[in-house]
Amino acid sequence: MDDLVRRKRVAFGAYAEPLQKKEKIKSNTFKIALVASDCLLLGLQPVLVHLSKNKSGKFSFNPISVNLMTEVCKVIFAITVLLCLGTGRPGPPMYRSVRSFIADARHNWLLALPAGLYAINNYLKFAMQLYFRPTTTKMLGNLKIFTIAILMRTVMHRRFSVIQYEALFLLVAGITINQLQSCGNKGEQIPG
């Protein structure tokens, strides 16, 4: 009897294998598309912000209001997704119970601090566009990797491999070379 069950599993497993391969290919394709679109949008951000300046090198709008509207849209999107899809926890959906919505809000209130810091970071990145070229802004934005590495080494006592130290060195060297090129010419044009 066990032999018969084993043969059936093998037979049905043969049909399931191509389906699993197709699902894996779909999953990998989706992940690659997500990473590629993220890289494209992150790379285009400083260029598009730079192109939104007027002829005098300033914005024709208030950067703080743009960031505020962006953050409000993010909050509306997050609440809509939470209401439609839920949190994955058992119990009544959030859109049916005010009590469950309040319980989830209390559970996630600590996320307000990182969200606020992220909003400030977005504003600073936007404001940097006033004073630097897009390439310089992108390079200076990459200094956060170096800052995180220093914090991880000093606060969390994390050890890095030789390759990770070499990558950090190349990052800092690239930023330095980029800044030296702008210092050799006439430098950055600061509006105002």
Side-chain angles (χ1 to χ4, degrees):
M1 184 70 176
D2 289 335
D3 189 41
L4 181 63
V5 171
R6 195 175 319 122
R7 276 189 279 162
K8 283 185 177 179
R9 284 186 185 157
V10 170
F12 289 122
Y15 292 112
E17 189 174 312
L19 294 174
Q20 290 172 349
K21 284 183 182 178
K22 284 182 182 178
E23 288 297 321
K24 189 173 184 181
I25 289 171
K26 280 183 184 178
S27 174
N28 287 343
T29 304
F30 181 69
K31 290 176 185 175
I32 289 170
L34 281 177
V35 170
S37 61
D38 183 48
C39 291
L40 178 71
L41 291 173
L42 283 175
L44 281 176
Q45 180 189 12
V47 175
L48 294 174
V49 170
H50 182 72
L51 290 174
S52 68
K53 291 181 183 177
N54 57 24
K55 291 181 182 179
S56 65
K58 296 190 180 228
F59 296 110
S60 300
F61 49 86
N62 187 353
I64 294 175
S65 64
V66 171
N67 278 331
L68 178 66
M69 289 177 61
T70 303
E71 297 303 324
V72 167
C73 288
K74 287 179 189 178
V75 168
I76 291 171
F77 176 76
I79 289 173
T80 304
V81 168
L82 275 174
L83 289 174
C84 292
L85 300 178
T87 59
R89 63 165 178 69
M94 288 175 37
Y95 62 86
R96 287 192 187 162
S97 168
V98 175
R99 181 178 291 154
S100 113
F101 183 80
I102 292 172
D104 282 339
R106 282 190 185 144
H107 182 265
N108 293 320
W109 73 273
L110 286 176
L111 296 176
L113 178 65
L117 292 174
Y118 187 72
I120 292 169
N121 182 36
N122 283 341
Y123 171 71
L124 290 175
K125 283 194 298 187
F126 199 86
M128 282 176 59
Q129 298 288 327
L130 283 171
Y131 301 105
F132 300 110
R133 294 175 308 188
T135 53
T136 305
T137 302
K138 202 66 184 162
M139 293 297 285
L140 289 174
N142 286 336
L143 274 176
K144 68 182 168 192
I145 298 170
F146 184 69
T147 307
I148 291 169
I150 290 172
L151 288 172
M152 288 178 72
R153 180 75 178 120
T154 56
V155 176
M156 299 173 66
H157 304 293
R158 169 137 187 233
R159 296 188 180 270
F160 296 118
S161 68
V162 173
I163 293 175
Q164 289 171 325
Y165 277 119
E166 289 173 352
L168 285 172
F169 172 75
L170 288 174
L171 174 70
V172 173
I175 293 169
T176 305
I177 290 169
N178 182 36
Q179 292 302 319
L180 288 176
Q181 287 175 348
S182 66
C183 291
N185 301 332
K186 58 184 177 177
E188 298 285 348
Q189 295 292 328
I190 299 177

